[in-house]
Amino acid sequence: TDTTTRPRRILVLNGPNLDILGRRDPAQYGTVTLAELEAIVHTEAAVHGLEADFRQTNREGELVEWLHEALDDFVGVVINPAAYAHTSVALHDAVEALSVPVVEVHLSNTWKREPFRHVDHVATAATAVIAGAGADGYRLAVAHVATLVADPTD
Ligand SMILES: O=C(O)[C@]1(O)C[C@H](CCCOc2ccccc2)[C@@H](O)[C@H](O)C1
């Protein structure tokens, strides 16, 4: 019998333009970089005995295919869909297909910004949404997924 316990993994997904975070537009997103967000996520995941798989892409279909991995391979998902939150029914449907918790995060408070950011197709399928808390929102999102997936027998 396999007595080794496999680490419980969460998937942390980042959408378009988050790869240039910190290089431009400090007014909206501060000086935080994607690498700094990744460090925050790995640290918080470890606090809860979870392992985070942190990814970024500018391609909508890649986000859809990565979400499909959470059907079998992950206990929870944190996603910053970036601008695709405001446009993508495909991401809505992929999130809706999942049975594991999905927590959406936006660095900025999108409700305080341009009207075109007040549509959020991912939010209408997600378990929870954290917007406007900056980098701390990523930490909070990981902590919330940890709460939702906590094993009572641990
Ligand atoms: O607040 C967020 O996290 C957003 O998801 C960030 C997206 C933008 C990602 C970063 O885009 C940059 C654009 C220029 C310079 C630096 C980052 C934006 O389209 C969403 O409405 C809210």
Side-chain angles (χ1 to χ4, degrees):
T1 57
D2 176 359
T3 56
T4 58
T5 55
R6 290 175 56 183
R8 296 195 318 149
R9 301 193 315 145
I10 60 172
L11 184 57
V12 181
L13 301 180
N14 296 273
N17 298 302
L18 287 164
D19 49 334
I20 62 167
L21 202 57
R23 294 187 53 181
R24 293 280 187 287
D25 211 359
Q28 280 312 330
Y29 308 111
T31 56
V32 69
T33 64
L34 195 66
E36 286 164 4
L37 292 175
E38 180 167 12
I40 289 167
V41 162
H42 288 311
T43 300
E44 187 67 21
V47 163
H48 302 282
L50 299 170
E51 189 179 286
D53 186 338
F54 189 97
R55 306 180 192 175
Q56 186 277 333
T57 182
N58 298 317
R59 294 169 174 75
E60 183 178 353
E62 193 158 33
L63 287 170
V64 168
E65 287 167 359
W66 286 348
L67 285 166
H68 293 166
E69 291 184 42
L71 286 167
D72 297 316
D73 301 341
F74 294 94
V75 296
V77 179
V78 170
I79 182 168
N80 184 345
Y84 291 147
H86 312 309
T87 61
S88 178
V89 175
L91 282 180
H92 170 94
D93 292 350
V95 171
E96 200 172 52
L98 299 182
S99 55
V100 298
V102 178
V103 176
E104 180 182 10
V105 59
H106 291 288
L107 294 162
S108 66
N109 181 350
T110 50
W111 304 104
K112 220 169 171 177
R113 301 179 67 190
E114 306 94 327
F116 67 79
R117 300 188 203 270
H118 299 171
V119 172
D120 191 327
H121 295 298
V122 174
T124 56
T127 307
V129 184
I130 300 167
D136 205 32
Y138 277 71
R139 186 183 61 76
L140 293 166
V142 171
H144 189 55
V145 168
T147 299
L148 295 175
V149 304
D151 179 347
T153 62
D154 274 354

